[in-house]
Amino acid sequence: MDRILKGLSRFQKSVYPKQRDLFQKLALGQRPDALFITCADSRIDPCLLTQTKPGQLFICRVIGNIIPPYADAIGGVSATIEYAVGVLGVPDVIVCGHTDCGVMKGVVNPEPLEPLTSVTAWLKYAQPGRKAAASQDETRTETEFLLAVAERNVIHQLGNLRTHPTVAERLEQGDLNLHGWVYDLGEGVVTHYDSGQDAFVALETPLTRS
Ligand SMILES: [Zn+2]
């Protein structure tokens, strides 16, 4: 805890005073640019990755960036989606998987996790990703297969996201965009799902486009 408490103290003494105006404005309300759904993995820092400030990302963190289909498991994930999409009216939702994901490893090799009943029950929502990766007719190393599972899992969770009524309604209105990302932890690279190619390709940013 020492490191955490020292950080809090540093925030209060030197970070907060420099951005007092921003924090006081945020105390009155929020209008985030996007709902960012990603794995709880400690190596992912959505704000660092996207260089966003407090107030800009509404974040839902859950192991395996899993979104149960609507009505199947009403809980924190569905409530967070409903609030972000239905109340805050975010224009974009990003589902971001990542490399070396422990959950994807558990999906491929579930035995060691079997005593953990909550984790095991949760993993069933990621099994379709494993099946889709396994049906791809390619010879791959274990790391490549894990990446394919992470990618197909993101696609499957995007499908589940569409089953949520608030999401379906906003998609119907044409004012909500869904994005599937995979973040390579070691390389700092993000690929995104291109449905036309049915593949994850380099993400274009305003900088790479110019
Ligand atoms: Zn993960």
Side-chain angles (χ1 to χ4, degrees):
M1 276 303 282
D2 257 18
R3 197 204 313 264
I4 293 172
L5 293 175
K6 276 184 194 150
L8 174 60
S9 169
R10 210 162 45 239
F11 169 77
Q12 290 166 338
K13 282 191 191 126
S14 54
V15 178
Y16 174 84
K18 285 185 198 140
Q19 301 182 64
R20 189 185 303 271
D21 288 353
L22 168 67
F23 288 112
Q24 293 196 336
K25 192 175 151 229
L26 287 173
L28 304 174
Q30 62 170 331
R31 208 156 175 259
D33 294 336
L35 165 62
F36 196 94
I37 303 171
T38 194
C39 187
D41 194 300
S42 64
R43 297 166 294 178
I44 303 169
D45 186 334
C47 295
L48 182 68
L49 180 65
T50 59
Q51 291 292 289
T52 44
K53 294 193 174 86
Q56 295 177 336
L57 280 189
F58 198 81
I59 301 172
C60 178
R61 303 206 61 161
V62 61
I63 59 164
N65 36 275
I66 282 164
I67 302 163
Y70 190 74
D72 198 32
I74 300 293
V77 177
S78 358
T80 304
I81 291 166
E82 213 165 88
Y83 189 76
V85 176
V87 179
L88 297 174
V90 294
D92 292 274
V93 183
I94 298 156
V95 178
C96 182
H98 68 103
T99 54
D100 197 51
C101 183
V103 174
M104 299 308 121
K105 288 179 187 170
V107 168
V108 173
N109 179 24
E111 230 167 80
L113 295 173
E114 266 162 19
L116 306 171
T117 49
S118 298
V119 174
T120 299
W122 192 245
L123 290 192
K124 77 169 195 267
Y125 293 113
Q127 281 296 343
R130 183 194 59 79
K131 284 187 193 130
S135 73
Q136 291 173 322
D137 202 16
E138 286 168 37
T139 320
R140 287 171 292 201
T141 63
E142 202 180 323
T143 309
E144 286 166 343
F145 181 64
L146 266 180
L147 174 63
V149 176
E151 290 178 345
R152 294 292 131 182
N153 177 57
V154 165
I155 299 166
H156 183 72
Q157 304 310 331
L158 282 170
N160 286 350
L161 183 60
R162 290 189 184 90
T163 67
H164 291 248
T166 44
V167 173
E169 197 180 310
R170 292 273 313 279
L171 286 172
E172 179 91 20
Q173 290 165 4
D175 65 349
L176 182 69
N177 298 301
L178 308 186
H179 313 269
W181 287 12
V182 171
Y183 170 37
D184 185 319
L185 295 176
E187 300 297 325
V189 171
V190 173
T191 53
H192 81 114
Y193 180 59
D194 179 328
S195 55
Q197 298 181 53
D198 188 28
F200 279 75
V201 297
L203 184 61
E204 279 200 357
T205 67
L207 285 177
T208 56
R209 268 198 292 271
S210 64

